[in-house]
Amino acid sequence: MAFSADELRVLRRALAIALHPAPLQDEDVQDCLRLADSVDEAVREAGRLRAFLLDDLARYREALPGSLTGYLGLLREALAGGYDPGVDDLAALRALRASPAAAELLARCRILAERSVRARLARVSQATGSAVPVGAAIAPRARLLALPGGRAAADGPKPNPPSGPTPGDRPVPKPSEVFPPRRRPVPPPPPEERVAG
């Protein structure tokens, strides 16, 4: 955000008044209100531009691989504006990693996505009161122990399989019973030769 010389003068005066409170003249109050309106409008405009950029980025991502150059340029611009790459961006870049530019952006986006996840985990841990250090590595997922096939099932005793069919079970038919073999068509007998007589 860039300020004009007049806006910087008003901002400097407002900061001086904030540090050393003094009675304000009406002209100073009006200048501060105009500056606040200008800043609010600039923030709204930045929000509109960001939304437009992200919509464009989504359109280019949907048109991949044909829009590779435009997509990579828009993604770089969005990242420079503080955009956190999403799952769709990472998947698109993984599919395009044959391109050196896409591979470079994929590495950058992975780092940014990991930082974003760590920051969210830190905020959640602060909100819940549990202690998860911000720099801690994200642990890999452990296998579920409560479901069949988990570590508990692998370590525990294995049940003996039933020796025969249980009552009420129907036998499984063979494929040849379900789909009988095709019969080859019998060629028609050769036409009989007529005897001229």
Side-chain angles (χ1 to χ4, degrees):
M1 184 179 299
F3 291 104
S4 69
D6 286 339
E7 289 173 335
L8 282 175
R9 180 181 51 78
V10 172
L11 185 60
R12 189 178 302 122
R13 206 169 12 168
L15 290 173
I17 292 169
L19 292 173
H20 305 288
L24 290 173
Q25 297 177 0
D26 289 342
E27 182 184 334
D28 291 338
V29 171
Q30 294 302 320
D31 288 343
C32 288
L33 289 175
R34 276 194 295 275
L35 178 62
D37 288 341
S38 297
V39 169
D40 288 344
E41 179 58 32
V43 168
R44 284 192 295 272
E45 183 63 24
R48 284 192 291 269
L49 286 174
R50 180 179 170 84
F52 179 77
L53 174 66
L54 295 182
D55 287 345
D56 249 7
L57 184 65
R59 279 193 291 276
Y60 274 76
R61 185 174 51 236
E62 289 169 6
L64 287 171
S67 61
L68 173 65
T69 307
Y71 173 70
L72 295 180
L74 283 173
L75 184 57
R76 279 192 195 96
E77 189 178 338
L79 293 175
Y83 171 67
D84 283 332
V87 176
D88 294 337
D89 296 307
L90 293 172
L93 289 172
R94 271 195 293 274
L96 301 168
R97 66 179 150 217
S99 161
E104 178 264 328
L105 262 179
L106 175 61
R108 182 176 168 195
C109 285
R110 281 181 175 160
I111 292 168
L112 292 173
E114 187 175 332
R115 283 184 192 158
S116 174
V117 168
R118 286 182 178 172
R120 275 184 271 153
L121 284 176
R123 285 194 298 270
V124 168
S125 67
Q126 288 174 355
T128 59
S130 60
V132 177
V134 174
I138 299 167
R141 290 184 183 165
R143 290 177 62 192
L144 294 175
L145 303 178
L147 297 178
R151 190 178 298 148
D155 297 340
K158 306 217 181 309
N160 293 331
S163 57
T166 58
D169 281 352
R170 291 183 7 189
V172 178
K174 297 179 189 172
S176 61
E177 295 172 342
V178 176
F179 305 104
R182 288 186 170 178
R183 307 256 184 247
R184 291 189 182 176
V186 178
E192 296 178 1
E193 294 181 11
R194 291 187 172 200
V195 179

